[in-house]
Structure formats: structure tokens, C-alpha cells
Amino acid sequence: MKEIFRIAIDGPSGAGKSTIARRIAAELDIDYIDTGAMYRAVGYKMKLQCIVADQKQRLQSMLENTDIDFVNGDIILDGEVVNDKIRTSEISRMASVCSALPEVREKLVDIQRKMGTRKSVIMDGRDIGTNVLRDAEYKFFLTASAEERAGRRYRELLDKGESITREEVLRDIIQRDHNDMTRELNPLTKAEDAVEIDTTGLTIQQVTDRILSYIE
């Protein structure tokens, strides 16, 4: 039987986690689990159903009837591919809000942990190494300056045709950092046994190669 191993990648918004994790997954032929996309999917469904954070009963009912999976790189929400629908600035903010809700985190962490027991995976997020996969064989913490991260996100949103300024994106990034690092439940922090990599000024390939050198 093939040995199962888990790779955890944490870090703030825009540090390159998803891009790098996809590269690593392809190199090692394992599944990439985009946990941030899972929170985006929940935020998207909350928006569709006009549910706000303090409507606990409606939120719990929604979560009990929510199914999220990954198939060939697509994120599937209740049987529907929602890749592009969850990648807007509005859904980014919704994801940040709902990721602080205990009910949402409990639901998604349960799904994520089950995935990690069935197969080799790489997961990225805010608390993978410190909470979701505490016993992951490999842990990394990616970071970059707020200005660099805002620039990356700004270019990404422009490519998607969104009308937004670089200053607005930077404000969003700074606010999101604050929300993620100060939330009461599993805040963004580097695991003690994680390797920290500052991606400022580095290419995607350079970061990928550095991570692979630790794993291989």
C-alpha cells in the first residue's frame, strides 16, 4: 500500500499558497485541497441564501445540507462547479467573515481531516499546520509583504475584469490579515515546526523548488 503523507501550507492572503500548492501537487501526483476555496464556497452559499453571521439556526441548517468536494481541480458545491463564482472581492470578504464562525470551521475542518486520512494531500489555508493537520509530515508557512501581496491580487482581479483600485486591494489585504490574526478561533499563526519562506521577490518556480527540496 502506498504510504500516505500530508503537506500543510499556511500563510496570509496573497502569499502564493494556492499557486504553489497546485504546483507541488502536480509534481508529487497527490491531491490539492484548497481550503480557502471551501470557505469561499460557504460564503457564496450564505450570500445566495441571504444568510448573515448572526442567523445561527439558518446557518446551521444550511451547513447540514452542504456538500463540498474537489474533482480534477474543480471545487464542487452541492454538485455544481463554482470555481469562478467564488473568486470575486465580495466573496473574499464573505470568506473572511464566515471563517471566523465556529459552526463553519467545525464543519469544514471535519471534511478536511477526513480527506487527509484517505489519501496523500497538500492543503493550504490559515490554520492547517496548527489545527487541521497538526500531525502533517511537512509544514510550510509562506509570507510576503502586504504591498507585494496586494499587487498580485490586484493583477489577478484586473485579469478577471473587476473594477477595483490597487489601494482598495491593499486595504482589503490589511483588513483580512487583521481579521485572520486576531480571530478568537484558530488565528493565523506559524506552527512551531513549520518552515517559513518569504516569497517577496521570488518566482513561483523558485518557491516550488525550495519546498520540494525539503520534501524530497
Side-chain angles (χ1 to χ4, degrees), residues 81-117:
V81 176
V82 292
N83 297 353
D84 294 333
K85 293 175 180 176
I86 63 172
R87 296 291 177 187
T88 68
S89 295
E90 182 184 9
I91 300 304
S92 283
R93 289 189 288 271
M94 289 289 293
S96 189
V97 169
C98 75
S99 68
L101 302 175
E103 305 92 333
V104 175
R105 297 196 73 80
E106 186 179 341
K107 168 79 175 183
L108 296 188
V109 167
D110 182 56
I111 294 173
Q112 292 155 13
R113 283 178 177 152
K114 284 174 180 170
M115 287 176 178
T117 62

Side-chain angles (χ1 to χ4, degrees), residues 28-61:
L28 299 178
D29 192 25
I30 62 175
D31 280 323
Y32 165 57
I33 310 301
D34 183 351
T35 64
M38 295 173 76
Y39 287 99
R40 286 172 179 268
V42 171
Y44 173 69
K45 189 169 180 178
M46 285 173 68
K47 178 176 177 283
L48 285 185
Q49 297 189 6
C50 299
I51 296 173
V52 294
D54 59 359
Q55 293 176 317
K56 299 298 184 184
Q57 204 163 349
R58 288 190 67 203
L59 177 62
Q60 194 62 52
S61 177

Side-chain angles (χ1 to χ4, degrees), residues 180-197:
D180 290 337
M181 290 188 288
T182 60
R183 68 173 179 237
E184 196 171 329
L185 192 67
N186 300 314
L188 168 66
T189 184
K190 174 180 169 286
E192 286 184 11
D193 52 346
V195 175
E196 183 169 348
I197 300 173

Side-chain angles (χ1 to χ4, degrees), residues 69-85:
D69 200 3
F70 290 88
V71 180
N72 299 325
D74 292 325
I75 179 161
I76 317 292
L77 172 64
D78 300 330
E80 178 193 359
V81 176
V82 292
N83 297 353
D84 294 333
K85 293 175 180 176

Side-chain angles (χ1 to χ4, degrees), residues 18 21 48 92 133 155 162 170 210:
S18 299
L48 285 185
S92 283
L133 300 177
R155 290 189 292 275
E162 285 209 38
L170 180 58
R210 191 172 296 186

